[in-house]
C-alpha cells in the first residue's frame, strides 16, 4: 500500500515536471519585455485619463454649486486643456476600436 502511494506521488511529480518544462511554451525574454512595456504604457494612459476625468468632474461640480460654470470654464486654461485631452482620448479610443473591429471582419 505504501509503495502505491509513493509511486502515485512520484508519477504526479513527473507529470508536473513534464507539463512545466516539456509541454508548456514559455514566452521569450523579448516577448515578456514587449508585453511589460505595453502594460506600463496603458497603465500610464489610464491613470492620466482617470485623473483628468476626476479633475473635470470635481471642477464641474464646484462650478455648478457656485453658479458660475461658464465663466469658470472659460477663464481656466487648465480645465480647457483637460477637456480637450479627454475629447482626444475618446476619439483615439473609438478610432482604435473601429480599426480593430473592421480588421477582423474582412
Amino acid at each position: 500500500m505504501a509503495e502505491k502511494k509513493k509511486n502515485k506521488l512520484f508519477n504526479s511529480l513527473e507529470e508536473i515536471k513534464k507539463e512545466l518544462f516539456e509541454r508548456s511554451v514559455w514566452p521569450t525574454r523579448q516577448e515578456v519585455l514587449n508585453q511589460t512595456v505595453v502594460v506600463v504604457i496603458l497603465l500610464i494612459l489610464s491613470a492620466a485619463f482617470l485623473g483628468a476625468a476626476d479633475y473635470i468632474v470635481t471642477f464641474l461640480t464646484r462650478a455648478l454649486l457656485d453658479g458660475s460654470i461658464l465663466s469658470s470654464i472659460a477663464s481656466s486654461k487648465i480645465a480647457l486643456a483637460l477637456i480637450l485631452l479627454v475629447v482626444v482620448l475618446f476619439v483615439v479610443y473609438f478610432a482604435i476600436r473601429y480599426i480593430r473591429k473592421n480588421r477582423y471582419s474582412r
Side-chain angles (χ1 to χ4, degrees):
M1 183 101 173
E3 288 294 320
K4 283 187 177 183
K5 286 186 180 181
K6 281 186 181 180
N7 284 338
K8 282 186 176 183
L9 177 66
F10 286 125
N11 287 341
S12 296
L13 291 175
E14 280 295 317
E15 284 296 316
I16 291 171
K17 182 180 172 184
K18 283 181 185 178
E19 185 70 33
L20 281 175
F21 298 109
E22 295 173 12
R23 297 180 192 156
S24 297
V25 178
W26 294 91
T28 64
R29 185 176 185 90
Q30 189 62 39
E31 289 173 337
V32 171
L33 183 64
N34 290 342
Q35 292 172 359
T36 302
V37 168
V38 168
V39 167
V40 169
I41 289 172
L42 290 176
L43 178 70
I44 291 169
L45 288 175
S46 61
F49 176 76
L50 290 174
D54 179 55
Y55 180 81
I56 289 171
V57 168
T58 302
F59 180 81
L60 291 176
T61 303
R62 286 184 183 163
L64 282 172
L65 293 175
D66 291 342
S68 59
I69 189 166
L70 292 178
S71 63
S72 297
I73 290 175
S75 66
S76 175
K77 293 179 183 176
I78 294 174
L80 290 174
L82 287 176
I83 290 171
L84 179 65
L85 176 69
V86 169
V87 169
V88 167
L89 287 174
F90 272 118
V91 168
V92 168
Y93 169 75
F94 284 111
I96 291 172
R97 194 170 164 193
Y98 177 78
I99 290 169
R100 284 186 179 171
K101 179 182 175 187
N102 288 335
R103 182 179 0 161
Y104 297 118
S105 64
R106 292 182 192 169

